[in-house]
Amino acid sequence: MGLAVYIHIPFCERKCNYCDFPSYPAAAYDIDAYLRALELELLRRSSDVRKSISSLFVGGGTPSILQESQLTVLFGMVQANFGLEPDAEVSIEANPGSCSAGKFALLRELGVNRLSLGVQSLQSDLLRRLGRCHTPAEAIEAVHLARDAGFDNINLDFIAGVPGQDLAAWQATLQTALELQPEHLSLYGLSIEPNTPFGSQWADGCLEVPDDEAQATMLEWSQHFLAEQGYGHYEISNYALPGKACRHNQVYWRNLPYLGFGAGAASYWQEQRSTNLARVEEYVAAVNLGVVPVAEKEHLSVELQMAETLFLGLRLLAGVEKRDFARRFNLNIDDVYGEKIKVLQNKGLLEDSGKVVKLSKRGILLANEVFCEFLP
Ligand code: SF4
């Protein structure tokens, strides 16, 4: 199997009200300097890894904010340092406000075959509330432009539980989205994070969001609706038409190795998890000084690797195959977690067929409760 590589482009037009990802306003940064640092990081780390890439994910931030010349430079450096396998999955994230026919055509030429669009809602008032930089019409236009450029693997991201959203609004958004025939949908419940405008409003008691039950009702409705429309629910938040599940993200959920490049990017490699410096200035300065731009590094004990393999694997609705676990760790999953599995089974949160352990329907809605049980 080839490499799974993630590249982080930490720039956005402006910060959305709910976002705590490492992303910064593009206008305040020298993006060319960032790309030069990224190239140096790729050059240094690729020399130890003699493999080509089987899945590449360029995420952010907003990678589509890069100019066409910068996108060409970015994909050129990936090819020069690693190379892509002929059937590699190559994904890029884009936001509707920064898309154009020219950019999409170029991305196709550069080998991108999967597009993930951050749509979030198809209702103007909710997009404004989220602080997004685009309108519903621009989101729909972006999908049409991507189709015209030849993209036949498009993911649309949506958020449930936005302030002011009710079930009818959520249903209308998903119904309109399906008219665009996306191959893949990612549906996330809004989470209020500290250090965001929503976090401050929440702390001040002036943010009203649909409660947990209302959010769960929206997501549960989506499960039935999307199943009727032929989408497989393959991960807690992800749905795909047959054959269109995201290969790259499955590397994370199967707890397999990957390399991450750029400010704030994480890697899981040779039993170590590391995270790069998140602040762009610090990342660029470290790379330019020849210093490894890592902020945190942790060696994962076998105990932690087993726990992560289990709770990440349980995110996949197919669950964790006991045979795979035994092959990987040389230990029987029931000898390690048998009691915990039984308790969660009795609570109706897990199903155990003897060969596979997976979340039950109720467990999908209360997944965090399940995952906490397996933390060492
Ligand atoms: S576009 Fe995405 S990464 Fe950028 S600020 Fe908004 S949510 Fe965060």
Side-chain angles (χ1 to χ4, degrees), residues 8-25 59-63 93-95 118 120 130-134 157 159:
H8 193 64
I9 303 297
F11 307 110
C12 292
E13 194 174 324
R14 62 163 193 255
K15 201 80 180 162
C16 300
N17 290 334
Y18 57 94
C19 179
D20 76 337
F21 304 135
S23 68
Y24 311 94
T62 307
E93 288 182 332
N95 277 327
Q120 316 310 357
L130 289 167
R132 301 288 299 176
C133 300
H134 60 88
D157 279 349
I159 301 179

Side-chain angles (χ1 to χ4, degrees), residues 171-194:
Q171 290 171 330
T173 275
L174 277 203
Q175 280 155 347
T176 307
L178 284 213
E179 288 168 17
L180 301 167
Q181 302 180 310
E183 284 73 22
H184 192 286
L185 287 150
S186 297
L187 311 181
Y188 301 104
L190 180 71
S191 136
I192 306 293
E193 304 295 340

Side-chain angles (χ1 to χ4, degrees), residues 12-326:
C12 292
E13 194 174 324
R14 62 163 193 255
K15 201 80 180 162
C16 300
N17 290 334
Y18 57 94
C19 179
D20 76 337
F21 304 135
S23 68
Y24 311 94
Y29 289 86
D30 180 347
I31 297 181
D32 291 321
Y34 179 75
L35 291 177
R36 284 194 293 276
L38 197 52
E39 185 167 21
L40 275 177
E41 193 196 3
L42 282 162
L43 177 68
R44 288 178 190 144
R45 291 175 66 197
S46 63
S47 53
D48 297 338
V49 186
R50 308 218 168 274
K51 271 185 169 184
S52 50
I53 294 174
S54 53
S55 74
L56 171 68
F57 197 106
V58 181
T62 307
S64 56
I65 213 165
L66 298 186
Q67 293 165 7
E68 291 179 24
S69 56
Q70 292 168 329
L71 288 168
T72 304
V73 166
L74 174 67
F75 283 90
M77 64 176 84
V78 173
Q79 282 287 10
N81 288 291
F82 286 105
L84 291 163
E85 290 185 350
D87 64 343
E89 178 189 83
V90 183
S91 305
I92 193 165
E93 288 182 332
N95 277 327
S98 55
C99 297
S100 68
K103 246 179 223 181
F104 283 153
L106 174 68
L107 288 170
R108 293 289 298 143
E109 269 173 43
L110 294 171
V112 180
N113 49 30
R114 185 172 183 277
L115 183 73
S116 182
L117 273 174
V119 176
Q120 316 310 357
S121 174
L122 286 169
Q123 287 174 302
S124 314
D125 53 336
L126 300 185
L127 286 172
R128 269 197 301 276
R129 201 70 188 82
L130 289 167
R132 301 288 299 176
C133 300
H134 60 88
T135 62
E138 283 170 327
I140 291 168
E141 173 68 3
V143 177
H144 292 312
L145 290 176
R147 291 287 185 219
D148 292 346
F151 278 100
D152 60 2
N153 195 358
I154 299 180
N155 168 60
L156 305 181
D157 279 349
F158 289 99
I159 301 179
V162 177
Q165 185 182 43
D166 59 14
L167 180 61
W170 173 250
Q171 290 171 330
T173 275
L174 277 203
Q175 280 155 347
T176 307
L178 284 213
E179 288 168 17
L180 301 167
Q181 302 180 310
E183 284 73 22
H184 192 286
L185 287 150
S186 297
L187 311 181
Y188 301 104
L190 180 71
S191 136
I192 306 293
E193 304 295 340
N195 304 320
T196 64
F198 274 0
S200 316
Q201 291 165 26
W202 180 258
D204 293 345
C206 52
L207 182 74
E208 273 191 39
V209 290
D211 62 21
D212 288 353
E213 206 179 310
Q215 191 185 100
T217 304
M218 292 179 204
L219 294 171
E220 249 185 301
W221 175 83
S222 320
Q223 290 173 14
H224 300 296
F225 176 61
L226 293 175
E228 279 167 14
Q229 309 297 321
Y231 289 83
H233 187 189
Y234 73 100
E235 193 269 348
I236 292 176
S237 307
N238 288 282
Y239 298 79
L241 292 178
K244 298 294 187 180
C246 178
R247 276 160 45 194
H248 183 83
N249 287 342
Q250 288 187 71
V251 168
Y252 302 143
W253 298 318
R254 295 186 196 285
N255 203 21
L256 296 171
Y258 55 87
L259 291 173
F261 297 88
S267 300
Y268 175 40
W269 193 251
Q270 293 174 339
E271 299 177 1
Q272 285 196 337
R273 186 171 320 282
S274 60
T275 310
N276 277 354
L277 293 159
R279 295 184 62 82
V280 171
E281 310 86 321
E282 290 177 9
Y283 166 80
V284 171
V287 173
N288 289 341
L289 283 170
V291 176
V292 179
V294 164
E296 286 169 29
K297 195 178 224 178
E298 181 190 11
H299 178 80
L300 301 182
S301 62
V302 175
E303 193 190 13
L304 197 51
Q305 289 176 49
M306 287 193 295
E308 291 191 350
T309 299
L310 187 54
F311 68 72
L312 289 169
L314 286 173
R315 293 195 63 92
L316 291 165
L317 270 69
V320 175
E321 285 216 24
K322 294 188 177 186
R323 200 179 42 186
D324 290 348
F325 187 96

